[in-house]
Amino acid sequence: MPETEDERAAPREVELKLEMEPGAMVAVRAHPLLRDVLARARPKRLHATYFDTPDRLLREAGLSLRIRRSGRRRVQTVKAASGPAAGLFDRDEWEQEVRADIPDLASEAGLPDLLRRSDVAAALAPAFAVRVERTTLDLAQGASRAEITIDEGVVEAGGRRDAVAEVEIELKDGAAADLFALARALAEGAPLRLGIRTKADRGYTLADGRPLKAVKSSAAHVAPGLTAGQGFQAIARACLVHLLRNEPVLRAGRDPDAVHQMRVAMRRLRAAVSLHKAILSDERRDRIAAEVKWMAGELGEARDLDVFLGKSVRPALAGHGDDADLAALAADLEARREAAYDAALEAIGSPRFRAMLIDLAEWIEVGPWLSGGDGERDGPVEAFAAEVLGRRAKRIRKRGRRLATLAPEPRHDLRIAVKKLRYAVEFFGPAFTGGKAERRRKAYLAALEDLQEHLGDLNDLAVGRERLAALPASERLAPLLLGGADERRMLERAVDAFESFADAKPFWG
């Protein structure tokens, strides 16, 4: 939706958020960059009440409305966010002083239309509260000036509490690259991690009384009129946000869905880099891609065991619980799974992973690949996408003609190529508008998803056999664990799905 004149005129804030466990605040306050400045600083106690309607209209619209009290002063703030850009927040913000602890929406110009509605204003009520001790500092970094805000406190809603310990770095003057340099310097001396959960996110989670849940990927904002480079940034931001949304869920509760979604986020990110390789020719690309691959590998054993236990072992055990060999195997695999989750949690808590997130976010936003002139990078995303989609679809049609005779390894390679093309369709699809393109895109994507599913079933069977071969009593347990899978029939379905894909009309032509 195009911005209105008022929306374009709204003040902006550009900031990075770094989170930590509450106990890590000691290390932050002792950091060489902050220690001396903090000794002269005077912290403030802040109390903020956030408002929304009972049916969460503001939340659904991406808005937050709060009144923050410090001493006798009350400040009302409205924020409208299209979403964090790879950890770099860039938001519309309206701020004004108010006299009471209830919202005043009549006197502020330029607010989003939703807040102008009388029925919405009448339905507003406190949703949750945030109490923090805040210390604010000014620091220079390179040729830039940044404001550092250190918050320690709690979010409260419905009798529940969530501890807050975070550092925000807001650009006051200069280049966004200096924000990342400052974030990296701080994270090297304290266990800080890039975060995108706002206090409002935390508050709504508490107010709704729901535990953190794994989330699927959201659409990248690739629209007609963007350049290919801007398209990559939109895609990569969405992938990194997907990763960052699920990382706290894994830390909170060893959630199998969180492991899966984090791996999906990293697969999509690696696919995005591969799809855009022609315009990402800088010295940092391969190193960053290797770090993402490393992290995905650290989660791999946990995910593989989740799949094998969930699809094969636990169903077999439910029907054959008196089989001693099967029970012993299940116990062994469950223990291995716990160890794999220990390793995964250690990896996401490591300095290497924390550094990877900051490096990746910086590379997406201000990496060397954006320097200089590049006709393909600066050309229209539609032309770039059409070439990538056409070339990759052609390769799959050529390789897929031999699907019925492919061995498991090249069949697995075909599955990966199909998955990358599916990601490309999801990434680039919104760049091609119109009813005909939309209908063709949906049909094309459905054919790809069907083919990927059948190739995935074949791959799961091959991986299951490989894992089973290394286990005790594998020959006797194979019929129980593999469920009498009919590989021939599975292959026939995959071939049928390939034929449907081959007949699907491209939507980008």
Side-chain angles (χ1 to χ4, degrees), residues 220-456:
H221 298 290
V222 178
L226 295 183
T227 66
Q230 290 169 333
F232 171 73
Q233 286 182 306
I235 292 164
R237 288 166 184 161
C239 294
L240 184 50
V241 167
H242 185 200
L243 176 62
L244 290 169
R245 291 277 185 217
N246 285 286
E247 184 258 355
V249 186
L250 175 56
R251 281 191 287 105
R254 296 181 174 234
D255 189 325
D257 288 336
V259 169
H260 176 51
Q261 290 301 327
M262 287 181 71
R263 280 175 53 82
V264 169
M266 288 184 279
R267 279 202 306 266
R268 289 169 66 87
L269 184 56
R270 291 175 62 200
V273 172
S274 176
L275 293 166
H276 291 83
K277 187 172 288 188
I279 65 171
L280 300 176
S281 53
D282 69 31
E283 70 279 4
R284 297 175 60 187
R285 181 194 67 199
D286 292 344
R287 179 176 62 82
I288 285 174
E291 286 298 281
V292 175
K293 183 178 181 180
W294 159 75
M295 189 63 230
E298 292 296 302
L299 302 181
E301 180 68 3
R303 174 59 183 168
D304 289 346
L305 284 166
D306 279 335
V307 171
F308 190 54
L309 282 163
K311 288 189 173 182
S312 299
V313 178
R314 290 170 188 154
L317 194 62
H320 303 274
D322 56 349
D323 190 303
D325 288 337
L326 183 59
L329 173 63
D332 178 62
L333 291 176
E334 294 286 1
R336 292 190 196 184
R337 177 187 178 276
E338 286 302 305
Y341 269 81
D342 288 341
L345 288 166
E346 183 177 351
I348 67 171
S350 69
R352 182 176 178 180
F353 178 63
R354 296 198 302 269
M356 182 200 89
L357 293 176
I358 294 174
D359 290 348
L360 178 56
E362 180 184 29
W363 183 67
I364 292 168
E365 298 297 334
V366 293
W369 65 275
L370 288 161
S371 303
D374 184 315
E376 194 169 18
R377 182 198 66 205
D378 299 333
V381 68
E382 299 94 323
F384 181 86
E387 192 280 328
V388 169
L389 291 164
R391 172 164 42 85
R392 289 184 175 261
K394 182 178 180 181
R395 288 180 187 171
I396 291 173
R397 287 195 301 271
K398 181 177 180 181
R399 293 164 66 181
R401 294 191 191 105
R402 299 180 288 111
L403 174 56
T405 60
L406 286 180
E409 187 170 343
R411 196 167 62 205
H412 169 70
D413 292 340
L414 177 62
R415 181 181 70 89
I416 297 300
V418 169
K419 184 183 297 184
K420 284 186 177 181
L421 180 59
R422 194 197 102 204
Y423 290 157
V425 170
E426 292 173 345
F427 293 154
F428 295 129
F432 300 92
T433 58
K436 181 178 178 181
E438 177 68 11
R439 288 190 298 273
R440 286 189 173 184
R441 184 188 65 80
K442 288 182 178 179
Y444 200 89
L445 184 58
L448 271 173
E449 290 173 340
D450 190 44
L451 176 56
Q452 182 184 332
E453 180 179 354
H454 289 297
L455 290 173

